[in-house]
Amino acid sequence: MHSLTQKTAAAVGALATTVGLTLTAPPAWAAGPRDVTEDVLAGRDVTLTGDTVVSLPPGTTTYAGVFRGEGALTVRGTGALVLLKDSDFTLPPSRRHQSVRIRGGNHPYVTTTAPDPPAVIVERGATLQYGDGGTTGLIGHFPYDTPAFHLNQDNIRVDGTLRLALKSAYNLGTITGSGLITQPRFLWGTWDLSGAHPFTGVIDNGTQVNAGRPEFATSLPGVRKVLNQGTWTVDTPLGQTVTMGMDFYQREYGSDINIQSRPGGKVILTGQYSWSDRGGDTDPSLSDPALNWTPAPKHVNKRGINIKGADVHWGDGSTHRIFMPGTAETVYINLLAARTRSKLTLDYDGPVTLGAPIGGGVFHDTLSAPGAGDVLIAGTPGNDVTFAAAQYYDGSTTVEKGAVLRLGSERGDGSLLMGTDRRRVVNNGTLVAQNRSTPATLSRVGGSGSFVQSGTATTTLSGAAVTYTGTTTVEKGTLALRDGATLANTRAIELTSPGARLDTGGRALRVTSSLSGVGSVLGGVANEGVVNGGLTVTGDYTQTASGQLRFSGVPLRVRGKARLAGGLDLPAAAPAATTASAGSTASSGSTASAHGSASPSATSPTARPPVTVLDHAGTAATTGTFDGLPEGAEVRLAGAVYRISYRGGDGNDVVLTAVTDTPTGLRHGPGSAGAGFPATQGAGSAGSEQFGWWPYVLALGMLGGLVVPATLRTSGNGRRRAGRSGTRPARRDGRGHGRGRAEG
């Protein structure tokens, strides 16, 4: 009994002592970090019993011991700590709360939410190095049964430098901080950079980083820059989107970015991949952006991207910095087929230039095979993409509504690979051909968008698969139609400068909508739509019964026969003498001389300038006259009488010269047959005197033997019908427009 009492008393005393100790000496992690610098310098193993700190002296400390236990380890000071062995410790249970889940069912991927605070902290000025080029030296704890990789429970904060000198595969958990994480070159270790990381510093990849895999997505929204001196690989889980918003840099030849994605997955790159010639590892940058476009010695500025069956977007519509600035000598871009063909979307909010070809070879040998994928120019407002190199991918090119794709620039000429059904252009925006020296051919162009020829080099549309329905504009140079290509589906054809040429290859251009401008059509015109004056037609001009010639104040120049069976539409508010020579831009409402110069208002015979009806583009004399209008005959136009000459202008043009302001009727010159033509009204409102249509319509029939149809049909808006004999009085409809048939 006594002995039991003694034992009990001893136990109570011991408990009291324990309680006393508890009250006066809380655990080390609660009282502040424990400094284990002496143990580390001596190479002794360290057991963490709370928060622990190592204060490094200058220089390098190589540590062959290990850390174990529970707590957080902080490395501070000005030196470097090199770990030669793997260490395994964790935070205390009270500080572990992150949720790790495996989703995706048969396609599992890992997510981490509400991550734990860091178990490893590298303060500014200090360096922590995992390993010395071998396979050990990592700090980590791996309690999770994650697929295809080992997720580290020990999250890390890096405000100083973390050097990863490991040859194994490893994971660092969730990373915070603003320092530098660097991996030496040629070690061939693989860093599985899984999950979302608040890290805002710089990553220097010397060998291999997996920034996403089928088993995890990677998010690095705050990373400032990546110095990529190895291979940066991006992948996605099934149906997931991964966005990389940082700028990439490289200093050495041989670095690249490899991108893969699962079905439904997408990778968005919103930064820029540039060469770096300054800033070192901690702040890589380029002194002059032009250096991206200029080869450097030993090709040290050549960098590339390999898209392996992935859906990749350059830009997200909020920037206009091209992801890969450079030429074929400084960058390479490969579209490869893995599980599927690749897709590259360019999505910018302003103009960008792609100066390199897209191919499908192996790494730097990009043009050894065509690229296996399709390219899309997104319809983001302002998205204006220029291809300044000959493209070598074998898929489709889609230009969405609102977007612009240009072929060629001052940096180089551009083209698209054609020749198969797969190699086609779906143009729902605007496609601009602006090569300077290299001709380009497009054989399959569809969609609802417009086409613009604006380069000095010829662009050829080839084959019957040219079916786009937007406007066709020729600003300069030559647009050629070959091998059955037509513009029958285009909404309108416009030639906007005297040097603009539309070459039909000897076939008459079939106009089913409208043709206008001041350029040249080589090969003739078959007009079933509307043709505005001012063009030069080299070849025959045929205006069908359904067609319509609209006078725009500029004469139509014809270097062949003119066959007319359609109508003439004059401007609704044409002045008494709206004229200009071919090549002028005078329009309705202006008064100009036969050579396009301004003239006074038409109030007297001397104030009314001559009217050039037809500009004979050749040098031979004009032969023949209009029926009933011999040389010197007079015709009334808009309240004035004009005398016709077939030797006007430069000696062979058809010109009308005013002779009086107040005619009492139509007068004829010597030798007139006396048949005459009545005064006429144009297509304007009732009572407004305008040009009659006969001088213009008949003038077109003059060249090449004066092929004039028996009947000129007009609609009820004022255009007349001409037969062979007699004159039938015109009737007025309820709108004041003339109807009937004028015969002569």
Side-chain angles (χ1 to χ4, degrees), residues 17 19 81 104 145 248 265 439 520 537 717:
T17 302
V19 172
L81 176 62
D145 186 18
F248 291 83
S520 300
V537 178
N717 64 358

Side-chain angles (χ1 to χ4, degrees), residues 643-681:
R643 181 174 291 116
I644 190 168
S645 173
Y646 300 92
R647 296 188 294 273
D650 56 5
N652 62 357
D653 301 330
V654 181
V655 177
L656 300 175
T657 304
V659 295
T660 184
D661 281 334
T662 56
T664 57
L666 185 65
R667 297 188 294 170
H668 307 285
S672 170
F677 300 100
T680 60
Q681 270 193 305

Side-chain angles (χ1 to χ4, degrees), residues 435-455:
N435 281 357
R436 296 187 172 191
S437 59
T438 307
T441 298
L442 300 170
S443 59
R444 290 170 172 80
V445 184
S448 60
S450 300
F451 181 88
V452 179
Q453 163 66 25
S454 67

Side-chain angles (χ1 to χ4, degrees), residues 625-644:
T625 63
F626 298 135
D627 289 344
L629 291 176
E631 176 72 23
E634 295 176 356
V635 63
R636 176 176 143 184
L637 294 175
V641 174
Y642 287 79
R643 181 174 291 116
I644 190 168

Side-chain angles (χ1 to χ4, degrees), residues 5 33 36 139 176 224 292 294 300 361 364 371 383 395 488 606 642 741:
T5 301
V36 295
I139 294 177
T176 56
R224 290 191 296 119
N292 277 325
T294 305
V300 293
H364 301 271
N383 195 18
T606 57
Y642 287 79
R741 183 173 61 191

